[in-house]
Amino acid sequence: MTRLLLLLSLIAVTFAPAELLAQARRIVLFEHFTNASCGPCAGQNPAFQDNILAKNKGNMLHIAYHTVWPGRDPMNAHNKEDVAARVSYYTVTGVPDMVMLGGQYRGGPAGVTQDIVNRAASETSPLRIRVRENTNGTTRQVDVDVTTLGQIGTAGLVLRGAVVESDISYATAPGTNGEKDFPNVFRRFINTPAGQSFTPAPIGQTTSLNFEYDLNTEWDASKIFTVVWIQLESTKEVINASAAFMPAVELITEGDIFVKGSAQTPTNFSLLVQNLGDVDQNVKLSFNAEQPADWNASFSVDGTPATADVDVLVPANASVPVGIAVVPGALSGLGEYAVAMHNLDNTELNPQHAITNIISNVTDLLINNDNSWGADDGTNAADFEAAYLGGLRVGGSTTIASTSLSLFQRGWKLGKLDDVKHIYYNVGWAFPALTAELSSAFITHLNTGGNLFIAGQDLGWDTFDAAGHGTSASRAFYRNYLFSNYVSDGTATNTNVTVVGSDPLFGKVPSFRLQNVYGSNTQGVPYFYPDNLRPTPEGVTVAYYGSDPTAGAMIRGAKNDFKTVNLGFGIEQVADATVREELMKLVWQWFHGIISSVEFDGAVASLTLTQNYPNPASEFSLIQLGAAARERRLEIYDIAGRLAQTMTIAPGHTQARIDVSGLRPGMYTYRLMDGGRITGMNIMQVVR
């Protein structure tokens, strides 16, 4: 029996001073789909329990939904209908499957890292949820207060509450995978699986709701608790969550958490330690900065500069301000600044983190996929970033930074990455490889003149195979922007890669061998699956596997104002370090306009047309021509092969004056046309 007591009311916030009306701390909610007869679950669940669940007390909440498949599971049998509704909500097609905050992370439990949790937990929310529980005989009463602290839309919000049993253990495994101990098992919803529509109170006020449910005799009532969360149905984003045992003292960031900085210009971040309870709290604050060598950063507590860890007394219903000051230097970079708060009164709680970031002077950004790794061996894509950075730096890059996928998505959502023109995505062997959200970000980046290099094993497979994570949006992006069709999953025969010698960009790169860098399964079979690709009509095959030109390994394309390169393998899989560097160097040079993909580039040296002067040119340039008795045409093409400018050369004229003031900086090819015949070609550079 469930009873929703209709005692809904709006009350003013009276428990704290006005300065506490800042954004609320965001509690990270994990919804975990598993089964006691699922073999991969037994392999991944313990890693999540040991590395994440046990090390984030007070920072996260976890609900384990036990599915009806692939085999026997008595925890599913207890409430099949409610679990099935949640499976349908997230379109879960296999287990284990972990959903963080409605989809901010989606993948295997073993793929969740502490960095992912810290970054998500350091974000704030416009809603604060506080939960109180009381038991009266066999009835549990749940009181929920939702305080509005910032702007939020009122449409499409739903409040849900789940009854959870903190741990269930069996003397013998209840399924076939050997697991005996199961944390945070879902039992039922306190309202319905669909939840209930929620309208936030005005800013500074609180909405109060009251629920009751009966305690089932099959449960251990001493282990029962309620998780309450508010979710935006259109995106499934979890706005915030809470439970009765969450700590009363919070560390939050006020204002910006991600800033576009510039050299020698100070940037300040404001943080707050706030005590929402009626008892004084003792905490310890520590500060860590990860930044380029010539940047400077410091932090202060209640206005006093701090040079080491600081013990702080936070009075009841009061707050203590914390500041971070950063001055970027001349070096480009993406700095990260973290304040950790340790609760000295409850040492069982893990530290809370507030993380802020500054990006400065970055035009090229390497993104390391931090989603679930294909093998549960502790590896991640960032372990291979040197294979990408080495060639980019050889090419000449001095304004480059690297970041995790989760941090990229944070910066992108906040609109702080518009100075980044060239993105290099290190997919590695991680899943999901390409989400709808990431595809949307890449599309916007490319449609505004950016460039994208993307490389990783099983990217195509994960996007197009029924067992992968592809969506209609990610598949459309793959075809229309990467100019690629996925053909088939790779095999051990995809070892040798043959470069198309006639390609004007990569043709001089020698053919090379791929190596397995991801290990093997328990039967000793290598994790080696380079994708077989085929270009769309707008794409060009740069390299193929073995001697089969139809088995594409590397595809490039240019359209409108963007260029993309798509590899069916990861750069880290290229065995020869020299080839790795050369590939990345050429990609960087193409993106920056230093080399051109115009199809007739290879013939430039064999045609005679005087070099323009001055070259490079910024406003105008002159070209000396041989005399001709009839009218000719001078054509200028950009690096993607698009006609950028034309001019008519009158009969008898021996000089052309080109106005380049309206051309974008970069490399251009110009050619002289006499009727339908090319009589001369050359290359020029435009600068500002």
Side-chain angles (χ1 to χ4, degrees), residues 171-447:
T172 58
T176 61
N177 70 2
E179 286 186 280
K180 298 179 182 178
D181 301 308
F182 303 91
N184 302 319
V185 176
F186 170 80
R187 289 312 204 176
R188 59 161 293 172
F189 286 104
I190 60 173
N191 37 29
T192 69
Q196 60 195 74
S197 178
F198 178 79
T199 301
I203 293 177
Q205 296 187 17
T206 295
T207 299
S208 294
L209 302 97
N210 307 97
F211 302 89
E212 281 188 356
Y213 61 87
D214 293 334
L215 295 168
N216 192 297
T217 56
E218 293 183 29
W219 308 341
D220 182 342
S222 67
K223 298 179 179 180
I224 291 294
F225 64 94
T226 307
V227 177
V228 177
W229 69 98
I230 294 174
Q231 197 157 16
L232 181 60
E233 292 298 272
S234 60
T235 64
K236 295 183 170 57
E237 177 188 5
V238 173
I239 306 301
N240 214 343
S242 193
F245 51 76
M246 299 308 291
V249 62
E250 298 183 344
L251 172 65
I252 64 166
T253 302
E254 298 184 291
D256 290 336
I257 60 175
F258 200 120
V259 172
K260 286 174 57 179
S262 57
Q264 310 309 322
T265 301
T267 294
N268 296 300
F269 295 100
S270 297
L271 289 73
L272 203 65
V273 179
Q274 52 188 19
N275 184 356
L276 306 174
D278 297 326
V279 179
D280 295 352
Q281 296 279 325
N282 292 282
V283 300
K284 180 190 293 292
L285 300 177
S286 58
F287 177 66
N288 181 65
E290 296 181 6
Q291 59 186 5
D294 67 339
W295 293 26
N296 292 301
S298 60
F299 92 118
S300 60
V301 179
D302 204 10
T304 301
T307 58
D309 293 352
V310 180
D311 290 349
V312 180
L313 173 65
V314 188
N317 297 314
S319 61
V320 176
V322 177
I324 299 175
V326 182
V327 181
L331 294 175
S332 61
L334 204 173
E336 182 154 289
Y337 309 90
V339 174
M341 183 182 75
H342 303 257
N343 192 313
L344 300 179
D345 296 323
N346 186 351
T347 57
E348 289 188 358
L349 294 174
N350 293 104
Q352 295 182 31
H353 295 85
I355 301 175
T356 56
N357 299 95
I358 297 179
I359 189 169
S360 176
N361 193 31
V362 174
T363 62
D364 293 67
L365 188 63
L366 172 64
I367 303 171
N368 297 311
N369 190 358
D370 55 5
N371 283 328
S372 179
W373 195 248
D376 183 19
D377 61 357
T379 306
N380 55 65
D383 294 336
F384 301 109
E385 76 167 25
Y388 292 77
L389 292 174
L392 294 172
R393 287 171 175 151
V394 167
S397 180
T398 59
T399 54
I400 191 167
S402 63
T403 185
S404 65
L405 177 58
S406 57
L407 181 52
F408 166 78
Q409 290 176 314
R410 169 189 276 194
W412 182 264
K413 288 178 181 177
L414 296 174
K416 306 300 182 181
L417 301 180
D418 51 321
D419 290 337
V420 173
K421 303 304 179 185
H422 317 288
I423 291 176
Y424 312 84
Y425 180 28
N426 168 20
V427 178
W429 189 41
F431 308 100
L434 188 62
T435 63
E437 179 184 37
L438 184 58
S439 298
S440 176
F442 283 162
I443 287 172
T444 302
H445 171 73
L446 294 171
N447 284 344

